Amino acid sequence: MSDRDDLRHDAHNPHTHDESPVDNGELRDAAGHSIKDQSRSLPIPPTDDIIADGGRTLWGDAWYRLRKNKLAIAGLVWVIFVILVTLTADLWVKPYFGDPLAMDTTLGANLQPPSADHIMGTDKLGRDVFARVVYGARISLTVGVIAVAISVAIGLIMGALSGYFGGFLDTLIMRGADVFLAFPYVLFAIALIAVLGPSYRNVFIAIGILGWPSIARVFRSSILSVKENEYIDAAKAMGAGHLRMIFRHIMPNAVAPIIVYGTMSIGGAIITEAALSFLGMGVQPPTPSWGLMLSDARPLMVRAPWLMLWPGFAILTTVLAFVLMGDGLRDALDVKMKD
Amino acid sequence: MLKYLIRRVLQMIPVFLGVTMLLFILRAPGVLPGDPVRMITGERAISDTLRAQIVEEYGLDRPLPEQYVLYLGNLAKGDLGDSFQKSRPVVDILADKFPNTVKLALAAIVIEVIIGISAGIISAVKQYSLADVLTTLSTSILVAIPVFWLGMMLQLFFGILLKRWTGDTIYLPISGMTSNRFPDWAHMILPAITLASVSTAYVARIMRSQMLEALGQDYIRTAEAKGLSRRAVIWRHAMKNAMIPVVTFIGIDLGAMMAGAILTETIFNWPGVGYEIFVAIGQRDWPVVMGGVIFIVFAVMIVNLLVDLSYAVLDPRIRYGGAAE
Amino acid sequence: MSTLLEVRNLKTHFHTRDGVVKAVDGVNFNLEPGKTLAVVGESGSGKSVTALSIMRLIPKTTGVIGTDSDILFKGESVLGMDDAGVRSIRGNRIAMIFQDPMTSLNPVYRVGRQIGESLILHKGLKKKEADERAVELLDMVGIPHAGERAKDYPHQFSGGMRQRAMIAMALACDPDILIADEPTTALDVTIQAQILELMIELQERTGTAIIMITHDLGVVADMANEVMVMYAGKQIEYGTAEDVFYRPLHPYTWGLLESLPRHDVSEKGILLPITGQPPSLINVPSGCAFHPRCPYAKDVCRTQVPQLTSIEDGHSSACLFSGDPGFRRETASPSREVV
């Protein structure tokens, strides 16, 4: 026998294609490549840099990560600021700044540029723009929150029915979701409001109804993934009923993606409300809505350009704040949303 | 591939039907609060005889399923009702204006593709550079901007302020499709940019993340090990993979663009379908509003189907099924 | 016969925000034409980085090759070449195949085209000629119906076939050296053997030198002329295959050989994995990097860094005690009975 055959004979071993026995706990990427040996991307130091520290809950951990994300915190701060401003508006806007509904028809009182009396100027009916912007925030936030709340409520129910019971109900609901998703956002709202009549209340119904498919899908996939888990079987074995199952075991897991999605949806809802009001399908005058204010400002673009700046900025900053918050929440809660 | 195509078309059908059903429910009597007759005649008061006539003509007192079938039949014939303001069939009005909307949408897509994809590639290839940071920043903001406000700002700046500052010499048209001062295509600039803006931001972001992901794949390493230049690796190997989701997005986004078209056309007085709908809202001309919505929805669905089908051409994994042996 | 490849004091360090990762820290070896060198070690031992350094595929953003290192290919310094020079060597004179054939081929291009790419690039072939040659190459690596298969896409190939295609791609330009980075690890056991057979056969036919990177000693036994064992970025043993297998000098090598399941052992032997974790390449243990896991470590091992010293003719080891003739182990004895 040649040396080579000896070697082959003695040392050849039927390995599986898993790691050799000497590998233990090594950092590998999804393709099985040792991360250390790879020089393609920025190398991760071989020691674990996630220090296990005892007792951090999911939420504590998430809060920690959220805090580190400056943009998300900025968004959160702005949102809280806006909320506070609108909640307390009655206390300080009317006495010190002006009444959003108070028209001033004296000559020259309207279309004033920003001044000491009216820090954002006055509109075509002599009303204080600043006051209208603040009260407009109330409308926008209310619509945003309520509309999303409606979407979430419908979405949770649909998603729960779909995911938990599966089968034909699942297919039916998911096809229904597809139908709703086939509608470009604003169009459906327009159609619905055309039927119901333009009003403040109908706006959040319209937006709310449109938003359920995404929430339902996200919730459904949470349910599906949890359903497979063993602890559900264990709970079943203990005789837990359907409802209990949903609330106790499934909800906590599913909550995270819904929080993320809900937050981001509020931003979208605010823009949609503004768009609808702009088109005349939403809030009706004289109620101050940012969208309405923009629409009013259009014909006055040459004479009073500042009128369109304030509401626009307001929309931009508020929506951006929600988007950043949503982004930050998604990273912090480490949610991977595939739908 | 044929299997894929047939499957997609079949999948569309229930969705199609579902959409029509939903739209039907909206205007069907008794389902929602509101008077269906008003949807046909508008806000003015009408005599009882006229009301009875309309109920008869449109079959509003027949059982719902029968009405639905009638409705479907009308849709198939292309009958969307009549505008009472203009006394013309809705579908004629829309068909007249539709080409303008298409022109605008195409211009917007061209902008979206060129700028969005380039920005995405550049910021992926030169990660963390100034170009990348700027792109990321601007796309984040663009996503949050209301499209109509952006349009108004562009109008203000390029149409009014610029005109003022340059003494009436340099500025862009901000209204309508034609004018004496400017060539026709110049009128498309601002509206197309506005319409494209949000989509461009998304395209740039998706392209960037897809390129980054593609560049991190093993086959890139293989290509480099073969001695290909960096440029060849990026353009030939990474791009084709990264493009697939981007193209998908552009197709899907068409729907959002149609919605945005309403707002953009309104602002720039661009005589397309969206503008008609806006005007009709102001006049409470509901048949036009509903008809317009239906029209756009169907246009979007057809485009989505076409995009789906073209996907098969791009991705060989779909074209040729699974592994052999 | 002039030396094909000379690697002198190769040091490849990565500068990360957590510190300097010393992936390769002083490696020396020569490769003669037509020979096979096996580079053996755990994940993170630096074997892949060594190969990538030879091809200069280390990312420039974080990776630095030491200024006193050099790599000479046919007498010319690879490290001193400009980019164009290096690219003319890659895929042409030195070719590389990687671990995971599933992900190493571009899914959107046909296999034949990917094989032909280097022919067009380096040999100036026209597309048609390259396509024909690609078919010949596919045939050479044992893929049936090569003509039709060349027009397929990677996802239509099975794992083993893909690796064969990779080999065809690497050998297209008739390179002097083929570097194979764990070519069989991701494959099924039966396919592994086939691929290795193929490589041996091709080497006999074309006379290509091979650097085989693996953690699987069975592979080494089949193919290698010389073996280099790496640990924590350093060479700790070097010699002919027979030397390293039958007369291993370094305790780590003993551990590797002993931890192999043996299919020729009838009684139930106990598998002895090497205890402990592979070391961090940022904070390499002081003295001998292996000392924390070495059952024979003494105090001096903690302070003194052992150099790779020649113990016997052509057989070197980096252990302070290898010079002591009593410090030996017989692992695979040729007289062992075969069951």
Side-chain angles (χ1 to χ4, degrees):
Chain A
M1 263 197 188
S2 74
D3 286 322
R4 181 161 233 119
D5 291 338
D6 274 337
L7 284 174
R8 227 183 272 200
H9 202 80
D10 291 327
H12 197 82
N13 53 78
H15 262 319
T16 62
H17 59 76
D18 282 338
E19 296 90 310
S20 79
V22 299
D23 284 350
N24 24 34
E26 189 46 34
L27 279 181
R28 282 170 177 273
D29 66 18
H33 298 285
S34 157
I35 290 184
K36 264 187 285 179
D37 269 357
Q38 282 204 9
S39 34
R40 280 221 48 81
S41 41
L42 291 174
I44 300 173
T47 52
D48 261 8
D49 62 349
I50 297 169
I51 301 139
D53 84 323
R56 254 207 192 136
T57 63
L58 169 70
W59 299 103
D61 205 19
W63 177 239
Y64 173 71
R65 271 184 282 190
L66 190 61
R67 262 189 303 149
K68 291 175 94 185
N69 184 343
K70 305 217 177 50
L71 286 177
I73 293 294
L76 182 64
V77 165
W78 181 251
V79 166
I80 294 182
F81 174 66
V82 173
I83 293 179
L84 284 175
V85 160
T86 57
L87 283 178
T88 59
D90 287 328
L91 294 173
W92 56 278
V93 176
K94 283 202 193 127
Y96 297 103
F97 288 92
D99 188 328
L101 301 178
M103 301 186 283
D104 190 347
T105 48
T106 58
L107 198 60
N110 60 344
L111 298 183
Q112 295 258 331
S115 64
D117 273 344
H118 300 276
I119 58 172
M120 285 189 186
T122 59
D123 71 356
K124 70 178 186 226
L125 293 177
R127 297 178 287 205
D128 179 51
V129 174
F130 177 70
R132 289 181 70 81
V133 168
V134 171
Y135 276 89
R138 201 182 256 190
I139 304 278
S140 294
L141 280 182
T142 316
V143 169
V145 170
I146 296 186
V148 170
I150 295 179
S151 295
V152 168
I154 301 179
L156 279 182
I157 298 175
M158 291 297 182
L161 292 175
S162 191
Y164 194 73
F165 291 108
F168 183 64
L169 190 60
D170 182 20
T171 320
L172 194 64
I173 294 182
M174 281 298 111
R175 288 282 143 259
D178 283 341
V179 168
F180 271 86
L181 285 175
F183 273 92
Y185 221 55
V186 175
L187 288 183
F188 182 79
I190 292 179
L192 191 57
I193 293 182
V195 171
L196 295 173
S199 84
Y200 176 37
R201 185 196 62 171
N202 292 335
V203 169
F204 45 78
I205 292 179
I207 302 180
I209 291 186
L210 248 198
W212 74 264
S214 313
I215 306 261
R217 274 207 190 158
V218 166
F219 193 49
R220 173 180 175 270
S221 54
S222 293
I223 292 186
L224 285 180
S225 63
V226 165
K227 234 165 95 167
E228 309 300 313
N229 276 344
E230 283 162 5
Y231 67 87
I232 291 291
D233 290 329
K236 262 197 190 142
M238 291 196 297
H242 283 318
L243 213 61
R244 180 191 172 84
M245 198 86 83
I246 293 181
F247 277 103
R248 270 301 205 77
H249 297 286
I250 297 181
M251 284 288 273
N253 280 285
V255 160
I258 294 186
I259 291 182
V260 174
Y261 210 87
T263 309
M264 292 179 133
S265 301
I266 296 184
I270 293 180
I271 289 194
T272 311
E273 181 272 323
L276 288 172
S277 300
F278 179 81
L279 290 174
M281 299 288 278
V283 175
Q284 298 297 302
T287 317
S289 150
W290 291 335
L292 255 188
M293 292 170 73
L294 281 176
S295 147
D296 287 340
R298 262 190 77 211
L300 300 164
M301 210 186 286
V302 181
R303 286 177 64 191
W306 60 88
L307 284 180
M308 58 182 238
L309 286 181
W310 310 121
F313 267 119
I315 300 177
L316 172 58
T317 50
T318 310
V319 171
L320 193 56
F322 275 104
V323 167
L324 289 176
M325 260 179 74
D327 265 346
L329 278 173
R330 184 188 52 209
D331 289 338
L333 293 170
D334 199 24
V335 169
K336 297 170 223 300
M337 304 193 290
K338 299 178 224 272
D339 67 328
Chain B
M1 171 153 90
L2 200 57
K3 258 201 297 184
Y4 174 76
L5 297 182
I6 295 183
R7 206 165 20 107
R8 296 311 268 175
V9 174
L10 284 181
Q11 273 178 353
M12 284 290 300
I13 296 182
V15 178
F16 241 61
L17 282 179
V19 168
T20 57
M21 220 185 291
L22 198 57
L23 288 168
F24 171 68
I25 289 176
L26 284 182
R27 51 206 292 274
V31 178
L32 289 172
D35 181 5
V37 176
R38 177 180 60 85
M39 293 298 296
I40 301 171
T41 61
E43 301 292 336
R44 59 189 178 190
I46 50 173
S47 64
D48 284 340
T49 32
L50 187 55
R51 173 175 285 267
Q53 208 182 336
I54 289 184
V55 169
E56 171 70 43
E57 201 179 310
Y58 286 82
L60 291 177
D61 51 354
R62 310 245 190 98
L64 279 182
E66 203 184 315
Q67 286 194 48
Y68 179 57
V69 173
L70 249 182
Y71 176 70
L72 275 183
N74 282 341
L75 278 182
K77 274 189 287 174
D79 180 5
L80 291 171
D82 295 323
S83 157
F84 65 85
Q85 206 74 301
K86 301 190 184 171
S87 307
R88 282 177 69 199
V90 170
V91 75
D92 285 349
I93 301 177
L94 296 176
D96 250 356
K97 307 291 186 185
F98 190 55
N100 297 336
T101 302
V102 170
K103 259 193 256 180
L104 193 58
L106 284 178
I109 291 180
V110 167
I111 294 179
E112 178 187 353
V113 165
I114 295 182
I115 297 186
I117 291 185
S118 318
I121 294 182
I122 294 180
S123 58
V125 171
K126 295 199 195 311
Q127 219 184 349
Y128 304 129
S129 67
L130 184 65
D132 182 22
V133 171
L134 277 179
T135 309
T136 313
L137 221 61
S138 49
T139 54
S140 300
I141 296 183
L142 271 178
V143 165
I145 284 192
V147 156
F148 49 98
W149 189 59
L150 182 64
M152 285 168 67
M153 294 296 271
L154 287 177
Q155 274 182 324
L156 178 67
F157 188 78
F158 285 100
I160 296 176
L161 293 179
L162 200 57
K163 187 175 175 188
R164 219 181 267 175
W165 296 337
T166 61
D168 269 27
T169 46
I170 305 177
Y171 63 103
L172 286 174
I174 57 173
S175 177
M177 256 176 83
T178 58
S179 65
N180 290 328
R181 230 206 103 121
F182 291 97
D184 282 356
W185 58 263
H187 284 262
M188 265 207 278
I189 300 178
L190 287 182
I193 293 180
T194 307
L195 188 56
S197 58
V198 179
S199 305
T200 309
Y202 275 112
V203 167
R205 291 182 117 183
I206 295 182
M207 190 71 202
R208 176 182 185 272
S209 75
Q210 287 301 315
M211 276 297 280
L212 283 177
E213 199 181 304
L215 286 172
Q217 292 295 319
D218 286 343
Y219 53 78
I220 297 292
R221 187 179 49 178
T222 308
E224 282 181 339
K226 279 198 278 191
L228 290 169
S229 66
R230 187 82 187 144
R231 174 178 296 173
V233 167
I234 293 176
W235 284 101
R236 256 192 270 158
H237 285 266
M239 248 201 82
K240 199 164 178 209
N241 279 278
M243 285 291 275
I244 299 173
V246 173
V247 168
T248 314
F249 171 78
I250 293 180
I252 296 175
D253 189 51
L254 228 39
M257 205 179 258
M258 292 295 183
I262 297 185
L263 297 163
T264 310
E265 288 179 8
T266 304
I267 296 175
F268 288 95
N269 294 340
W270 184 270
V273 174
Y275 188 66
E276 281 303 311
I277 295 181
F278 172 66
V279 168
I281 291 176
Q283 296 170 332
R284 301 306 195 228
D285 189 349
W286 300 125
V288 175
V289 174
M290 290 299 279
V293 169
I294 296 175
F295 194 88
I296 295 183
V297 167
F298 273 85
V300 167
M301 284 203 289
I302 293 179
V303 168
N304 280 345
L305 182 63
L306 290 175
V307 166
D308 247 352
L309 300 183
S310 71
Y311 199 60
V313 174
L314 264 186
D315 190 340
R317 284 169 285 199
I318 296 180
R319 249 203 283 176
Y320 293 101
E325 228 187 40
Chain C
M1 193 162 56
S2 60
T3 310
L4 201 47
L5 185 72
E6 269 184 74
V7 174
R8 294 196 197 141
N9 195 24
L10 176 62
K11 291 190 185 172
T12 307
H13 297 177
F14 293 100
H15 296 265
T16 71
R17 61 175 193 273
D18 292 291
V20 179
V21 180
K22 299 195 182 126
V24 179
D25 204 20
V27 167
N28 296 277
F29 64 88
N30 290 355
L31 184 65
E32 305 294 335
K35 297 285 187 200
T36 303
L37 166 71
V39 180
V40 180
E42 300 169 310
S43 306
S45 53
K47 43 193 208 297
S48 290
V49 176
T50 305
L52 292 167
S53 304
I54 297 175
M55 300 274 278
R56 269 181 60 183
L57 284 173
I58 309 289
K60 300 197 185 110
T61 44
T62 48
V64 176
I65 300 186
T67 42
D68 51 350
S69 311
D70 208 359
I71 300 177
L72 297 172
F73 175 65
K74 290 189 178 169
E76 212 189 318
S77 166
V78 170
L79 297 181
M81 284 183 201
D82 62 355
D83 279 345
V86 177
R87 270 184 274 124
S88 70
I89 291 188
R90 285 190 202 143
N92 189 12
R93 308 262 44 85
I94 307 180
M96 190 159 172
I97 61 177
F98 300 96
Q99 176 172 342
D100 193 347
M102 299 287 167
T103 52
S104 294
L105 288 169
N106 194 329
V108 300
Y109 288 123
R110 300 178 202 263
V111 175
R113 178 194 155 143
Q114 296 190 47
I115 295 180
E117 203 172 8
S118 36
L119 287 167
I120 299 176
L121 178 66
H122 294 295
K123 302 291 187 193
L125 291 190
K126 304 273 198 327
K127 186 164 182 314
K128 192 151 171 295
E129 299 167 326
D131 284 342
E132 285 163 11
R133 182 80 186 116
V135 172
E136 285 170 24
L137 287 162
L138 280 177
D139 195 42
M140 181 173 85
V141 296
I143 291 188
H145 309 295
E148 287 134 43
R149 292 311 234 157
K151 301 207 193 94
D152 281 348
Y153 287 89
H155 71 273
Q156 291 167 286
F157 276 36
S158 71
M161 283 169 68
R162 275 185 239 195
Q163 198 60 302
R164 288 177 195 260
M166 288 281 292
I167 295 175
M169 189 159 68
L171 295 179
C173 298
D174 220 358
D176 298 304
I177 303 179
L178 171 66
I179 305 181
D181 190 353
E182 310 244 27
T184 54
T185 310
L187 301 172
D188 274 346
V189 182
T190 41
I191 311 283
Q192 280 183 17
Q194 288 175 19
I195 299 291
L196 290 175
E197 289 290 337
L198 175 68
M199 289 178 71
I200 296 173
E201 183 197 314
L202 289 173
Q203 183 184 36
E204 271 161 36
R205 227 203 287 186
T206 60
T208 314
I210 298 182
I211 300 181
M212 174 72 90
I213 299 175
T214 178
H215 61 267
D216 182 343
L217 287 170
V219 167
V220 172
D222 283 342
M223 290 191 70
N225 298 116
E226 298 197 309
V227 177
M228 177 169 91
V229 182
M230 286 186 72
Y231 187 83
K234 290 187 160 51
Q235 288 164 285
I236 51 110
E237 187 157 355
Y238 188 103
T240 64
E242 202 190 300
D243 283 341
V244 175
F245 264 93
Y246 291 127
R247 294 174 288 279
L249 293 171
H250 197 285
Y252 177 65
T253 318
W254 298 342
L256 280 182
L257 289 165
E258 261 172 24
S259 59
L260 303 177
R262 312 284 296 271
H263 66 275
D264 58 341
V265 173
S266 52
E267 344 95 44
K268 288 204 172 97
I270 306 172
L271 276 185
L272 299 167
I274 305 178
T275 55
Q277 303 268 354
S280 151
L281 292 174
I282 294 182
N283 299 312
V284 183
S286 60
C288 170
F290 186 56
H291 84 256
R293 300 164 80 185
C294 181
Y296 307 97
K298 304 273 189 285
D299 280 338
V300 62
C301 299
R302 235 178 293 141
T303 48
Q304 196 180 335
V305 179
Q307 300 300 316
L308 189 69
T309 337
S310 175
I311 307 292
E312 296 160 352
D313 188 29
H315 188 184
S316 13
S317 159
C319 175
L320 298 173
F321 303 114
S322 293
D324 176 2
F327 194 69
R328 293 282 183 274
R329 291 258 250 174
E330 289 281 332
T331 49
S333 152
S335 61
R336 199 184 201 109
E337 287 213 302
V338 175
V339 174

